[in-house]
Amino acid sequence: MAEVEFLLAFNWVLLPVGLQEFYAGLQEQSTRAKVAYDVATASIKLKCLSSDEAAVMAVCQAVLDKIVRQELASGWESGKKIAKALDQAKANEKYKEASALVFAPQEILRSSFRAIWAMPRELVDRGILLGHLVPDKAATNLEQLTGCTLRGSTDGHLMYIGADSSEVSARAQDKLNALAEHMARTPQGDTRCETFIYAEDQQDAKATLSYMEHGPRSHLTTFFLDRTKYDLEAESSTYGEIFKKGVVVSLWDDDHNKLISRPKDINPVTLSKNQNQVFRAFPLDWTYKPKERTNDPDPDPKVALPFHSGQNPMVTSWVAHLPQPDQMLPHSDTSVREARVAGYKEPDKLQPQLGLYDPRKPRRILDQAPAQPDVPPNPWHAAPSFGKTEEASAPSRGTHNGSKGKPESNAVDELTTKLKMLVDETRSHPLPVVSAEKPPMKRNTMSQQKPSRKRKTAPMTHPMFVHAISQKLVSMLSGLEMFTGDLSLKVNLGRLCLTEINDRVVWYEGSKLQRHAKPIQGLKNTLDECHVDPRDVMFTNILTAKGADANYISLMADGSGKRIWSGYKRRTVYEIACCATTNEGYFRFVIEVDGNDFSYQPRYLSGQACSLFVHCPKRSWDFEITLSKSPRLGKDYEAFAQDLVDHMRVVPQSSGVPNLEFILNKAYKVEMLLARTVNIASYERNQENDPSLLEIREVHDMTPLPVDETGDRVNVTVTQYPGFEQLGQLPMWYEVSMQSKIVNKAFEQNRELELGDKVDWSPDQLMNATAFDRLIRSAAEMVRNIDGVGLWGDNRQDAMHPGPEVNTGGASTDTGPKW
């Protein structure tokens, strides 16, 4: 039922004693109205159901009549409940705080010192209320920092403060003033996802949309999906949906009136006989450090948990389904377009973002894997010797005993100076011009082509393209100077596929579509209007399952034969995804455990994120740039994480990847979704003053052994997943991403930032330090030089793409072993 809101205003003013009597009278009559005090107008604000309006007004009139009669009987001069109209302004200012405190909650009124803090009028006029400025979790954090009790008014305009002294209260007010000033002066970040098209030296060309299945066959056979994110079962496979309805951006040849397909006459970066090489960063003797349980689990953990005590009836699935064909929208559907363009809107109250995962279909790690055919041993690992492990742990991670790590020493103090120095250095050392190099002669088959690690000739990235993305990144980062938590800006290499495109706007051979080709900027604008919602864009970051491809990327050389990247850190991380039941529903989170010192960090499974989708129609691969932010999880999740890690075992196996054993205490009401072993190799750019970083992740999928439940404990053991070749499920794969050291160092400040404080960096500083410029150029350079990566892969989904076979150079003639 609808609510109504109204003010009670008079030609006289109720003093605090009169307000108390009025409020008590409303409570005695048991009205369901919400009452607040409007400081600006010295008025009483009421909100109630429209059906209760008459009754509430009658009660208000009766109570006010009683107060006025009492004051008239005792005389205006001696009255303590009402001030004359001539004295209204003076009384409002004198009694403003005391009048507002009449409506404060009891926990505030019981405090030794009481105060109010009012939202600035300019924010209220913009629709920004207290819940936007200080969400529930932030208010709790502010209470812990200041030692105050904080409660918001029912209308979101006032913060009631209870404290032991005026000094303690003043600290809370200073924090609130800082937050309000920042929100008032700083534009909020542009978190709308956006499309870019990188056509290298053909940025002025035309482009169109075409079906993925009409492109080179190699793009279908080497397209791999993660079984935890997509449905890859025999009876319902996302592969089929993609190959039938997936759409990609393609260039158009206006002179010959034909589509320019993505590269097809390309060769693998490695010979057939070398494709099963082991990734050099993690050779066969790479050691996985064993771990025993610290102690027996406590059968009754004495910790306060935010979880329901009831049984979890359903654990949400990690399966994302493509939309049905009847949900696909034409570009002209204005009503739906307006609803979707809003993108990632900052919620009033921060909620865990569930991304693409379908909460209706249960799937968890405790469920047994389907029956599998005989699968050969993992070809990437033989039995390792457990020798010395190279030590390298992630910065800023919690330690095994629950204490928090700290950022690199002096990182905060040195950041501003570092940024200024980098600006001066990059101005005096411009990006070098790549010398022309004659490309190697192409041969007929893949196996005959000898690969070269030297970088191929390619035009430099168009300055306007780089500038446009840099400006977008500046707007995305705006408003984060006071954000407390984890920030990440990362470029991921992979493939893009549009999933909600109406077939009336997609070109195909023999179609009667007219004027389908547009200038690149025009197609970008069209996609930005309708197709930047993450539900409309699929991105897979599985590049390859071959260690030889990972070696090619890490050893890539420039035109002079000098390596572009040099390795500087290797580490193993165990990623454990969990699902808890909270008062607001299911909450998914991940615990990252360092494989060397077993420090850990709980984090959101999927924080708030926005992405730039960069389609590369001249290349085999695309890339996306993603900014994600996640507030730090509370101590409740830290307690669960510590308990889980304390009772975790790492048991080395002759196959290479260790088994992981866990004991889950049912008292926590948390279920495990899955666990994975991830080997991460990081590389620095071998170019002066270039802060770019390359990261290659070797992801080992894992599957559960039979689960043992004993009383209040669940014993879970996960082992290396053998893969399911016929369903396109990989046992292991490689993901490649890039970051900026400058940006990462800046973001370190946000991790431990105290609420109400501000970091030293700004988005403009990062751009002036060329952090964005070099990151974008490095990503474009990588895409130009990895066309042949992944070509030895085969998802074995030929039945899913029945279109005509396209000649892919030597791919179709080679009979070498697949994954």
Side-chain angles (χ1 to χ4, degrees):
M1 186 175 292
E3 287 186 320
V4 294
E5 185 177 44
F6 50 90
L7 293 175
L8 291 180
F10 329 99
N11 56 359
W12 37 267
V13 61
L14 280 174
L15 299 178
V17 175
L19 285 171
Q20 287 176 346
E21 185 171 332
F22 172 77
Y23 191 35
L26 286 182
Q27 291 178 317
E28 287 176 3
Q29 297 296 325
S30 300
T31 63
R32 294 180 292 179
K34 299 175 182 178
V35 187
Y37 188 75
D38 189 279
V39 175
T41 62
S43 303
I44 300 171
K45 185 185 299 182
L46 295 105
K47 180 184 289 188
C48 65
L49 297 175
S50 58
S51 60
D52 296 338
E53 181 179 3
V56 171
M57 291 299 294
V59 171
C60 290
Q61 184 174 353
V63 174
L64 290 171
D65 284 346
K66 179 182 177 182
I67 294 173
V68 171
R69 284 196 300 268
Q70 291 173 346
E71 287 292 276
L72 289 175
S74 61
W76 284 103
E77 298 301 329
S78 61
K80 299 180 180 180
K81 301 177 184 179
I82 298 176
K84 292 182 179 180
L86 294 176
D87 301 326
Q88 183 173 359
K90 184 177 181 180
N92 285 350
E93 186 61 31
K94 181 178 180 180
Y95 298 109
K96 177 174 66 175
E97 185 166 287
S99 297
L101 284 170
V102 169
F103 304 97
Q106 288 299 313
E107 55 265 41
I108 298 295
L109 298 177
R110 287 193 293 265
S111 300
S112 302
F113 185 86
R114 299 170 295 278
I116 64 167
W117 181 86
M119 284 287 294
R121 176 55 56 181
E122 60 177 310
L123 293 181
V124 174
D125 291 342
R126 288 163 50 188
I128 300 174
L129 302 180
L130 199 59
H132 300 83
L133 183 70
V134 189
D136 285 355
K137 290 184 179 180
T140 302
N141 189 9
L142 188 57
E143 286 183 321
Q144 295 172 348
L145 289 172
T146 61
C148 296
T149 300
L150 303 175
R151 297 293 183 271
S153 62
T154 57
D155 62 352
H157 289 198
L158 296 177
M159 178 71 86
Y160 296 112
I161 303 173
D164 293 334
S165 66
S166 59
E167 291 79 14
V168 175
S169 173
R171 187 182 181 198
Q173 294 185 60
D174 289 343
K175 293 285 188 183
L176 291 168
N177 286 331
L179 291 169
E181 181 181 1
H182 174 70
M183 183 165 283
R185 295 186 178 183
T186 307
Q188 295 302 298
D190 180 5
T191 57
R192 295 173 300 171
C193 297
E194 192 169 334
T195 296
F196 290 89
I197 301 174
Y198 174 49
E200 303 175 27
D201 58 344
Q202 294 180 263
Q203 289 297 130
D204 57 349
K206 288 187 177 181
T208 188
L209 301 174
S210 63
Y211 286 113
M212 185 176 175
E213 70 170 337
H214 294 161
R217 182 178 179 275
S218 61
H219 283 246
L220 302 179
T221 59
T222 60
F223 193 96
F224 284 98
L225 297 174
D226 185 339
R227 71 185 178 102
T228 63
K229 296 180 181 179
Y230 302 100
D231 203 342
L232 304 184
E233 303 302 327
E235 63 278 3
S236 58
S237 177
T238 304
Y239 281 118
E241 292 294 325
I242 294 173
F243 297 155
K244 292 175 183 177
K245 294 293 183 180
V247 171
V248 296
V249 173
S250 299
L251 294 180
W252 181 260
D253 185 346
D254 235 3
D255 295 334
H256 299 88
N257 198 37
K258 68 176 184 178
L259 190 77
I260 302 177
S261 178
R262 292 215 172 194
K264 57 182 180 180
D265 296 324
I266 53 177
N267 297 280
V269 295
T270 59
L271 298 176
S272 175
K273 64 181 180 180
N274 298 328
Q275 62 174 292
N276 289 324
Q277 290 176 346
V278 175
F279 183 27
R280 296 187 182 186
F282 300 100
L284 296 179
D285 60 355
W286 176 256
T287 299
Y288 294 95
K289 188 174 181 179
K291 178 188 180 299
E292 294 298 327
R293 296 188 181 97
T294 304
N295 49 53
D296 290 332
D298 187 350
D300 184 22
K302 300 299 189 293
V303 292
L305 296 173
F307 312 136
H308 284 316
S309 59
Q311 290 293 333
N312 187 347
M314 178 178 65
V315 178
T316 52
S317 169
W318 278 41
V319 178
H321 299 282
L322 283 176
Q324 298 298 320
D326 57 0
Q327 295 177 303
M328 296 184 179
L329 305 173
H331 294 299
S332 60
D333 194 331
T334 308
S335 61
V336 180
R337 176 195 316 155
E338 292 175 351
R340 290 201 168 190
V341 165
Y344 282 90
K345 183 179 179 182
E346 188 75 21
D348 294 349
K349 182 179 178 182
L350 188 62
Q351 302 287 346
Q353 301 298 307
L354 304 185
L356 296 173
Y357 307 122
D358 186 350
R360 298 166 297 178
K361 181 180 178 182
R363 175 183 288 181
R364 56 178 180 157
I365 196 169
L366 304 185
D367 297 331
Q368 296 302 306
Q372 311 248 344
D374 292 335
V375 180
N378 190 342
W380 295 284
H381 286 286
S385 58
F386 296 99
K388 183 178 180 181
T389 303
E390 182 172 346
E391 298 185 2
S393 60
S396 248
R397 291 178 175 270
T399 59
H400 181 50
N401 60 13
S403 63
K404 295 182 178 179
K406 296 183 179 180
E408 296 178 18
S409 60
N410 301 323
V412 174
D413 296 335
E414 297 176 357
L415 176 65
T416 304
T417 305
K418 178 72 172 178
L419 291 174
K420 292 179 180 178
M421 292 175 57
L422 284 167
V423 171
D424 296 336
E425 290 174 354
T426 50
R427 285 174 179 169
S428 59
H429 297 84
L431 288 172
V433 178
V434 180
S435 59
E437 179 188 0
K438 185 177 180 180
M441 181 182 299
K442 300 284 182 69
R443 296 186 172 90
N444 291 329
T445 66
M446 289 183 172
S447 58
Q448 290 174 325
Q449 176 66 34
K450 183 177 180 180
S452 171
R453 295 195 185 279
K454 293 187 177 182
R455 188 171 53 183
K456 300 176 182 178
T457 302
M460 295 297 286
T461 310
H462 199 287
M464 293 302 295
F465 170 81
V466 175
H467 180 73
I469 296 183
S470 297
Q471 288 291 341
K472 174 66 176 182
L473 292 177
V474 169
S475 63
M476 286 167 60
L477 289 169
S478 296
L480 295 177
E481 292 89 338
M482 296 185 75
F483 173 77
T484 300
D486 294 319
L487 292 174
S488 171
L489 182 68
K490 183 179 292 188
V491 175
N492 296 303
L493 304 183
R495 284 208 178 112
L496 287 163
C497 175
L498 302 171
T499 63
E500 284 203 12
I501 303 289
N502 192 286
D503 56 8
R504 289 178 294 178
V505 298
V506 182
W507 182 92
Y508 57 90
E509 191 70 38
S511 72
K512 298 180 181 179
L513 188 63
Q514 300 295 325
R515 297 187 300 275
H516 54 86
K518 298 181 179 182
I520 284 178
Q521 186 62 36
L523 183 58
K524 166 189 160 46
N525 294 339
T526 299
L527 293 175
D528 284 343
E529 288 178 2
C530 304
H531 299 291
V532 290
D533 190 305
R535 295 172 300 175
D536 302 346
V537 184
M538 174 181 290
F539 181 82
T540 178
N541 62 345
I542 299 179
L543 281 189
T544 180
K546 300 297 184 182
D549 287 333
N551 288 332
Y552 168 81
I553 293 173
S554 63
L555 300 173
M556 188 180 294
D558 61 17
S560 66
K562 180 183 177 181
R563 282 188 61 181
I564 298 176
W565 307 97
S566 62
Y568 84 106
K569 183 186 292 186
R570 299 181 299 173
R571 60 193 177 100
T572 294
V573 172
Y574 303 110
E575 296 180 345
I576 307 153
C578 303
C579 180
T581 304
T582 72
N583 294 328
E584 297 166 348
Y586 297 118
F587 175 61
R588 301 171 184 82
F589 61 101
V590 171
I591 301 173
E592 292 183 350
V593 182
D594 187 275
N596 179 61
D597 60 10
F598 301 103
S599 59
Y600 57 86
Q601 178 183 359
R603 62 173 177 80
Y604 282 74
L605 177 62
S606 179
Q608 296 174 346
C610 58
S611 298
L612 306 183
F613 307 114
V614 185
H615 299 263
C616 304
K618 293 190 67 174
R619 298 297 166 185
S620 296
W621 300 96
D622 309 298
F623 64 94
E624 69 170 2
I625 307 176
T626 298
L627 170 67
S628 60
K629 65 174 185 177
S630 301
R632 305 304 294 269
L633 290 180
K635 294 181 179 180
D636 298 315
Y637 295 96
E638 294 264 355
F640 170 76
Q642 179 175 351
D643 186 74
L644 185 75
V645 176
D646 279 347
H647 308 122
M648 167 186 173
R649 292 187 68 212
V650 179
V651 184
Q653 302 293 308
S654 60
S655 62
V657 178
N659 284 358
L660 306 179
E661 298 180 4
F662 303 94
I663 297 179
L664 300 179
N665 194 319
K666 293 181 180 180
Y668 286 103
K669 307 304 178 188
V670 181
E671 298 203 46
M672 187 184 298
L673 295 176
L674 63 83
R676 278 178 172 167
T677 299
V678 183
N679 294 325
I680 304 173
S682 301
Y683 300 82
E684 294 178 309
R685 181 87 183 193
N686 282 330
Q687 183 173 314
E688 187 177 6
N689 303 322
D690 193 323
S692 300
L693 293 172
L694 175 73
E695 184 176 275
I696 301 179
R697 287 166 49 94
E698 183 181 83
V699 182
H700 294 269
D701 200 358
M702 308 193 81
T703 190
L705 296 176
V707 174
D708 177 29
E709 295 192 40
T710 305
D712 58 357
R713 301 181 186 181
V714 179
N715 300 301
V716 181
T717 299
V718 293
T719 190
Q720 186 172 18
Y721 181 60
F724 203 151
E725 185 175 353
Q726 288 78 5
L727 297 181
Q729 300 179 10
L730 290 170
M732 185 274 287
W733 63 85
Y734 293 93
E735 303 168 355
V736 178
S737 63
M738 278 162 285
Q739 302 176 58
S740 167
K741 286 190 286 187
I742 295 177
V743 175
N744 289 350
K745 184 172 287 292
F747 286 172
E748 285 179 3
Q749 294 185 45
N750 294 83
R751 288 182 185 144
E752 304 298 335
L753 188 68
E754 187 175 291
L755 184 66
D757 289 351
K758 191 174 182 179
V759 295
D760 297 331
W761 63 268
S762 71
D764 287 322
Q765 277 183 309
L766 297 178
M767 186 177 72
N768 293 335
T770 70
F772 303 152
D773 182 288
R774 293 180 182 273
L775 182 61
I776 298 164
R777 292 179 185 273
S778 291
E781 178 188 47
M782 291 296 293
V783 168
R784 292 196 302 264
N785 289 278
I786 61 171
D787 282 340
V789 168
L791 282 181
W792 289 118
D794 189 346
N795 53 34
R796 302 302 173 96
Q797 301 302 300
D798 288 0
M800 299 290 184
H801 46 86
E805 290 212 1
V806 181
N807 185 3
T808 57
S812 60
T813 61
D814 183 81
T815 58
K818 304 300 180 183
W819 69 268

